[in-house]
Amino acid sequence: MTGQVEQQQSRALVVESNGLNVIADADRKGRPAQLFWPWFGANVSVLGLSYGAFALGFGISFWQAVIAGLIGVVFSFLLCGLIALAGKRGSAPTMVLSRAAFGVRGNKLPSLVSWLLTVGWETVLTILATLATATVFERLGWGGGTLTKVIALVVVGALTVACGVLGFDLIMRAQTVITVVTGVLTVVYIVLVADRIHWSTVSALPSGSAQAMIGALVFLMTGFGLGWVNAAADYSRYLPRRASSRGVVGWTTFGGSVAPVVLLIFGLLLAGSSEELSKAISADPIGALAAALPTWFLVPFVIVAVLGLVGGAVLDIYSSGLALLSLGLPVPRYVAAFIDGVVMIGGTIYVVFYGGEFLAQFQGFLITLGVPIAAWCGIMLADIAARRRDYAEDDLYDSRGRYGDVRALPVITMVVATGIGWGLVTNTLASWLQWQGYLLGAFGLGGKGGAWAYANLGVLAALVIGFGAQWFGGRTSVRRQETA
């Protein structure tokens, strides 16, 4: 037993050689239940508490926000679970399996969007971890200036890049540790600040409109599971083909959603109890949560905050490296992950030390990418549902094979669905994205100042259009592929 553990530990410290290739039968291992660890570890961040303030910012009541959160979070991670099925059936990264729908070269469009989204969010998480450390250290009187930020960036960057470069085995082990440590410390945090909750104040929050509730639901859906769908098969691809499909869907959904649901509800109670705290969270999502803590718990709070954010960044950097390879970069996987790490650290340096006002603009851009990802997700779900056989592995890498070079229907659908989706959303974070929402008036939804302006219907529209077009227009081509 000791020898087996030592072997697993040594394997975790070896650079993973797998990249875009199909995982060999001999290397497929594990059970669906093991998917719980990476998904829980990536989503147990205390940032989930801040989403309570974000949801109430739509002008809805506590119970409306709870309903919106339950539906938005669980449904969005269910989408991840369904796409994770492709990983088990094809044993290749998500953006390689997507070639079956888009064609080998046609898939470069969703691969580019996927790379921008994952490398962007890993950068945001690193920025937040760096700033959170500085905020807490300043309160402790240890200095929150440039030196603190540099040290925090070095630690966070090193952890994230190391996991991304070394690959799957280290990520699975690291996420298990992050899950346990972060989970325990988060429970302690909840106990320490529970006395700040005033139910009479929370329950008195007035109800908002149906449009506001839908807006909160879509926002939470985009902020949680929908931001992971393009990476969902990257971890299930190591499972044996005989692994339970229900288990893959169930453990991915449960692992991803259980922590955000608990954190969101507690965050709603905290933010709903104090308008001052709610406003502070909007300005400093992590640092504001430390204000209510006793001094002795501030260091553990930094640990829980940083580890939670690193847990998400680790999955992002691994998948962003794979997306970069699927775009055609001719380097090994670990080099692609290292390149993404350099981009991540460069972006963090710029925002933290030179362009703090750029963070909100950048987050607005990433939220905007939720529309094309929703369109891709709909197309991919329909393609997976239509297939009755495992993927033809060799043809995923050959533009002359059964999946073709560029498949017009899904490519055009993604472009059209994105165009319609952007016309039905508005974005207050980024001033340079004010052009969005151009279809709200044409569709009789009251224009940019109307009641539907912030319902973010464009995300749902892109998802539905993508699924519908591929389901009704693409099933015949899937049948031809499977009989070729």
Side-chain angles (χ1 to χ4, degrees), residues 117 120-121 124 219 222 357-372 422 425-436 456:
L117 188 64
W121 278 118
V124 168
F219 174 80
T222 305
E357 72 283 352
F358 180 72
L359 181 57
Q361 305 280 333
F362 190 46
Q363 287 176 308
F365 167 67
L366 294 174
I367 291 172
T368 292
L369 291 180
V371 173
W422 280 339
V425 298
T426 52
N427 196 326
T428 58
L429 287 173
S431 58
W432 57 281
L433 294 172
Q434 295 300 311
W435 51 268
Q436 293 176 355
N456 294 318

Side-chain angles (χ1 to χ4, degrees), residues 368-431:
T368 292
L369 291 180
V371 173
I373 281 296
W376 171 86
C377 181
I379 294 167
M380 191 67 174
L381 288 173
D383 185 77
I384 292 171
R387 296 189 181 278
R388 298 293 178 264
R389 301 179 182 178
D390 290 341
Y391 294 90
E393 299 172 354
D394 293 340
D395 289 344
L396 290 169
Y397 305 89
D398 185 358
S399 61
R400 298 165 299 177
R402 70 185 67 193
Y403 301 125
D405 189 21
V406 177
R407 305 197 72 86
L409 176 64
V411 172
I412 293 172
T413 297
M414 185 171 176
V415 172
V416 171
T418 298
I420 294 174
W422 280 339
L424 296 174
V425 298
T426 52
N427 196 326
T428 58
L429 287 173
S431 58

